[in-house]
Amino acid sequence: QHVTQGGLVAFPTETVYGLGADASQQSAVLKVFATKGRPLDHPLIVHLGDKNWVKDWAQSIPKAAWVLMEKFWPGPLTLVLPKQNWVPDWISAKEPNIALRMPEHPLALALLKNYGKALVGPSANRYGCISPTSAQAVHAEFPHAEIDLILDGGDCEIGIESTIVYVNENYIQILRPGMLSAEMLYEASQLKILNEDNTTLKAPGKCKKHYAPERPLKILSEIEIQHFLNLNSSQLLNKICILSLNPNFSSAQNNIILQTMPHSPKLYAKNLYKQLRAADAKNPDLILLESPPTDAPWQAIWNRILRANND
Ligand code: TXA
Ligand code: MG
């Protein structure tokens, strides 16, 4: 009912919570931009309840796109495809392409299938801030009834946003890395995989500061954290939150709040935004994030934490 009437409904997905509105109602979609404080030239992802709905939005669908849909939809993969002529600029800005995704969370799918039409669904946070991974976090972003309804589907399983790819007959170009990895895309398609650094297409990563907490954040190795704490200046700070990978990390300083982060990339991703939010909420002078490993399974996590690095 809220969606029919042009309202905003936050919904859970397996990645992060989305801010949903009927993609066919211009005023509802513009309300999404206004509520997030998002510039109009940042196109939205259109969320679909069925693979066949892609034909309504995409002008041409390469074979590889069908392969990826078969393998990964519903799931944490957004496909960027040439858009049909009717698709308005108030959804996809002036891009020639449209971003499409079929989410896996049962509540999201139930909402989409029952409504029977596509919803726009950017992450349900204020522009530039951390994506919410729980209904409580959505409420914390929009505490003043800016949105009509929040569907509570518990904590998001994946915890960071979907992998976004542009796909054609010859290659797959990653525009935003996610937990669905380049390796998995290659295995499914056998196509050449290009990474996000060499694209002229509109890509989310182009904005350096994004996904950022309110409080200053530094990314340091464990040794650098120890050095930092040994400096006199660190003792002058009232409160420092440390997100450490070492469960035995300890410090005699009493201005420190310690949180241990998981060692597996999967659990780390699931907890990252939740812990950044929790750290922010304690209003520290500084958040110190211990740098995680740099090998392939951590690639999407690094993509997010480098943009959270607002120091
Ligand atoms: O996991 C997700 O993808 C979440 C959940 C709610 O589905 N949604 C999400 O939406 O992260 P949003 O709007 O926060 O991020 C979507 C990104 C934007 O940075 C936008 O620039 C990019 O997708 N995008 C949208 N349409 C595009 C297009 N036609 N071409 C290239 N990039 C596009
Ligand atoms: Mg977002």
Side-chain angles (χ1 to χ4, degrees):
Q1 217 173 334
H2 285 298
V3 177
T4 311
Q5 290 166 1
L8 306 186
V9 172
F11 61 96
T13 82
E14 72 281 26
T15 57
V16 301
Y17 275 68
L19 187 55
D22 184 341
S24 70
Q25 296 185 42
Q26 180 175 12
S27 60
V29 173
L30 291 178
K31 218 191 293 175
V32 169
F33 280 99
T35 303
K36 281 179 63 77
R38 176 174 176 136
L40 291 167
D41 62 352
H42 285 234
L44 301 176
I45 298 177
V46 170
H47 289 61
L48 310 176
D50 190 286
K51 288 169 200 159
N52 280 317
W53 297 7
V54 169
K55 296 179 205 151
D56 301 336
W57 294 86
Q59 191 158 64
S60 54
I61 308 171
K63 252 200 234 124
W66 283 114
V67 171
L68 296 179
M69 281 187 259
E70 279 310 314
K71 176 93 182 153
F72 298 118
W73 279 14
L77 177 69
T78 297
L79 296 178
V80 169
L81 295 168
K83 69 182 183 184
Q84 290 208 7
N85 291 333
W86 70 266
V87 176
D89 282 346
W90 41 264
I91 295 181
S92 52
K94 298 227 166 357
E95 295 306 306
N97 302 313
I98 181 81
L100 302 167
R101 144 162 156 81
M102 184 179 176
E104 192 173 18
H105 194 289
L107 257 182
L109 279 177
L111 172 66
L112 286 160
K113 284 182 191 289
N114 280 304
Y115 192 57
K117 286 201 292 179
L119 302 178
V120 295
S123 51
N125 52 275
R126 289 168 296 129
Y127 179 65
C129 299
I130 302 170
S131 297
T133 55
S134 68
Q136 291 74 18
V138 177
H139 188 257
E141 284 288 301
F142 303 107
H144 306 299
E146 297 97 324
I147 48 189
D148 298 287
L149 185 70
I150 302 173
L151 295 175
D152 187 347
D155 284 349
C156 299
E157 233 359 85
I158 294 177
I160 63 173
E161 304 81 357
S162 62
T163 306
I164 305 181
V165 300
Y166 171 79
V167 48
N168 65 20
E169 303 293 352
N170 304 314
Y171 61 85
I172 295 173
Q173 167 96 57
I174 297 181
L175 301 177
R176 178 176 70 185
M179 295 310 279
L180 197 153
S181 65
E183 201 182 353
M184 291 158 83
L185 291 165
Y186 177 74
E187 251 172 47
S189 68
Q190 304 294 309
L191 280 179
K192 184 170 171 178
I193 312 288
L194 306 174
N195 69 32
E196 78 271 18
D197 300 329
N198 48 14
T199 179
T200 52
L201 288 172
K202 179 114 194 151
K206 302 250 162 98
C207 177
K208 204 168 167 240
K209 188 185 152 204
H210 207 139
Y211 319 113
E214 307 273 338
R215 306 304 304 153
L217 178 140
K218 274 184 196 291
I219 304 171
L220 299 177
S221 69
E222 189 179 1
I223 292 173
E224 287 168 332
I225 291 177
Q226 291 291 5
H227 283 315
F228 182 85
L229 295 181
N230 291 336
L231 296 174
N232 284 335
S233 56
S234 84
Q235 281 146 42
L236 296 175
L237 297 177
N238 279 324
K239 209 188 278 179
I240 304 173
C241 278
I242 302 181
L243 304 183
S244 164
L245 285 156
N246 178 359
N248 301 318
F249 186 92
S250 70
S251 162
Q253 268 173 251
N254 56 10
N255 61 344
I256 287 174
I257 303 173
L258 198 58
Q259 172 66 46
T260 308
M261 296 297 286
H263 271 251
S264 90
K266 206 171 156 221
L267 283 179
Y268 191 104
K270 182 173 176 176
N271 282 281
L272 175 64
Y273 289 162
K274 187 183 181 164
Q275 296 304 347
L276 284 177
R277 259 175 204 286
D280 233 3
K282 295 183 179 115
N283 204 22
D285 301 297
L286 182 62
I287 302 171
L288 293 179
L289 180 77
E290 183 184 343
S291 45
T294 49
D295 48 333
W298 295 85
Q299 192 201 357
I301 291 165
W302 270 103
N303 173 276
R304 303 307 190 275
I305 64 180
L306 284 176
R307 283 184 194 89
N309 188 356
N310 53 16
D311 182 47

